[in-house]
Amino acid sequence: MFLLVTGHQGSGGTGDGGAGDGGDGSGDAGIRAGVRAARRTRVLKAAGLALAGVLVLGAGAAGWVYWQLNGNIRSVDIDGALGDDRPAGPPPASPDASGPASPVPTGSLNILVLGSDSRGGAENRALGGGDSAGARSDTAMVVHLGAGRRAATVVSIPRDTLVDRPACPLEDGESTRAASGVMFNSAYEVGGPVCAVKTVESLTDVRMDHYVEIDFAGFARLVDALGGVTVTTEEDIDDDRSHLTLDAGTHHLDGTDALALARTRYDIGDGSDLGRIGLQHQLVKALLEQIADEDLLTSPTRLYRVADTVTGSLTTDTGLDSLGELTRLAQSLRDLPPDGVTTLTMPVVPAPWDRNRVVADEPEAGELWASLTG
């Protein structure tokens, strides 16, 4: 309204009908240009306010997302519980004098990864966790990241391995009793993550720099969040205990079936844990390929879903119990291709006193573990 009134005065205020605008209608054009300029100013101002609002909301949302994802992670202070009575860690990486210091770690690292058959919650029970209380380490893998993080070795420890389990500290200040010739997976059952780490370090004489645990439900949700996983089986599977039936061939599995495949043992090979480990190694490589093929950054919603699933399914040591530390670990693996991962099983032989159990095959097992200390 003010611009129109002002324009009217400008077009005839001189009283000569044209002296102010050249007499050829250019005054009207000037008025229209002024109106358009003012409108552009209002539009730009509105756009600027909207953008500022989006940025403020975005920053708030980002802060909320970080807070939620960070709060999802559960942790155990393994370093504090075990103290200094542990194998020596790897030597620190030498700084690169030719370039700027990088916050992303590149030194060698050993991570104990456990899949636990937790009995906690209806979802875990429905997926095979059983009805009793407590949990056991259903799957155990030592992941060795080589210096430079361009290659990795994954070594599985059969859960049926008989070991000498050391005394382990408990949260109440007491300790578990040391035991000889017991199943490896009993360590987690009697002393939780701390005892699992201590037992692995006793077995391997290799320090576990970090600890990561995922339960049944978390693994299934992760596979679903990634859109499933494609695997190829070399033989028919019809396992009543894992509730999985598959013909030999290539299959795209959802989370429930992928978990069932990871737990299958009685209908493949000789029915031992070694056959199941072979299937688990297939799954590890298939999941790495799936993650490598996914461009999660193009879908913030899907990226959030995967991140929420991962963080909500993990228990870690206190060195990895923040979104920042997990992100730094992930960033350090950006140059690790799926074919740079080697999967192995600790060399074992049947236990002389129990043919249904195995023991470490020495010296081969010791030589393998020694190769992971550099």
Side-chain angles (χ1 to χ4, degrees):
M1 180 73 69
F2 177 75
L3 287 172
L4 289 177
V5 171
T6 304
H8 178 73
Q9 291 173 336
S11 63
T14 60
D16 59 6
D21 58 10
D24 58 359
S26 59
D28 290 338
I31 293 171
R32 289 193 295 272
V35 171
R36 287 195 297 271
R39 287 175 178 169
R40 282 197 301 271
T41 300
R42 291 200 302 272
V43 170
L44 289 173
K45 183 180 292 185
L49 291 172
L51 178 59
V54 169
L55 291 174
V56 169
L57 290 174
W64 178 84
V65 167
Y66 185 92
W67 173 81
Q68 183 184 28
L69 296 180
N70 211 52
N72 281 346
I73 306 168
R74 299 177 296 276
S75 65
V76 178
D77 186 5
I78 291 175
D79 286 345
L82 294 183
D84 297 329
D85 185 21
R86 306 175 65 186
S94 300
D96 183 2
S98 62
S102 171
V104 178
T106 59
S108 62
L109 205 65
N110 291 308
I111 306 172
L112 176 60
V113 178
L114 291 188
S116 67
D117 60 346
S118 171
R119 269 66 172 169
E123 188 177 7
N124 276 314
R125 289 194 296 272
L127 290 169
D131 296 323
S132 59
R136 294 169 297 179
S137 54
D138 193 67
T139 301
M141 297 179 179
V142 174
V143 179
H144 174 73
L145 303 176
R149 310 285 172 92
R150 290 180 173 82
T153 303
V154 179
V155 183
S156 291
I157 302 175
R159 71 174 189 174
D160 292 341
T161 304
L162 298 179
V163 300
D164 292 334
R165 190 182 69 221
C168 303
L170 297 173
E171 291 183 1
D172 61 5
E174 300 293 325
S175 295
T176 65
R177 295 173 61 182
S180 181
V182 297
M183 282 183 58
F184 165 76
N185 69 343
S186 68
Y188 184 97
E189 189 173 13
V190 302
V194 171
C195 199
V197 170
K198 190 171 181 65
T199 301
V200 169
E201 292 184 342
S202 176
L203 173 68
T204 66
D205 198 29
V206 176
R207 184 186 181 96
M208 297 296 109
D209 302 294
H210 290 299
Y211 170 85
V212 174
E213 175 190 332
I214 186 168
D215 62 19
F216 277 1
F219 178 81
R221 287 197 301 267
L222 175 59
V223 173
D224 285 336
L226 290 170
V229 61
T230 300
V231 297
T232 299
T233 58
E234 297 179 356
E235 57 183 297
D236 296 342
I237 296 175
D238 187 11
D239 193 317
D240 291 337
R241 301 199 187 192
S242 67
H243 308 294
L244 181 66
T245 300
L246 287 178
D247 294 331
T250 300
H251 304 272
H252 190 75
L253 306 180
D254 63 11
T256 300
D257 285 342
L259 175 64
L261 183 65
R263 300 184 63 235
T264 294
R265 65 178 289 183
Y266 294 102
D267 194 55
I268 56 172
D270 61 0
S272 73
D273 198 36
L274 301 180
R276 172 169 55 185
I277 287 174
L279 293 177
Q280 291 172 352
H281 288 172
Q282 280 185 263
L283 271 172
V284 167
K285 291 188 173 182
L287 281 171
L288 289 174
E289 291 173 358
Q290 178 79 6
I291 293 170
D293 290 341
E294 291 288 324
D295 189 4
L296 295 175
L297 293 179
T298 62
S299 175
T301 301
R302 195 170 186 188
L303 175 61
Y304 170 76
R305 183 184 177 197
V306 171
D308 187 44
T309 300
V310 169
T311 55
S313 304
L314 293 183
T315 300
T316 72
D317 66 286
T318 49
L320 282 180
D321 65 350
S322 72
L323 192 59
E325 289 300 329
L326 287 174
T327 299
R328 290 178 72 237
L329 176 61
Q331 288 173 337
S332 77
L333 303 178
R334 62 183 179 271
D335 294 326
L336 175 63
D339 59 4
V341 179
T342 301
T343 55
L344 303 169
T345 301
M346 181 183 76
V348 293
V349 294
W353 58 91
D354 187 345
R355 307 300 291 180
N356 294 319
R357 302 288 181 258
V358 296
V359 293
D361 186 12
E362 299 296 355
E364 287 80 3
E367 291 170 354
L368 172 59
W369 296 125
S371 71
L372 307 186
T373 57

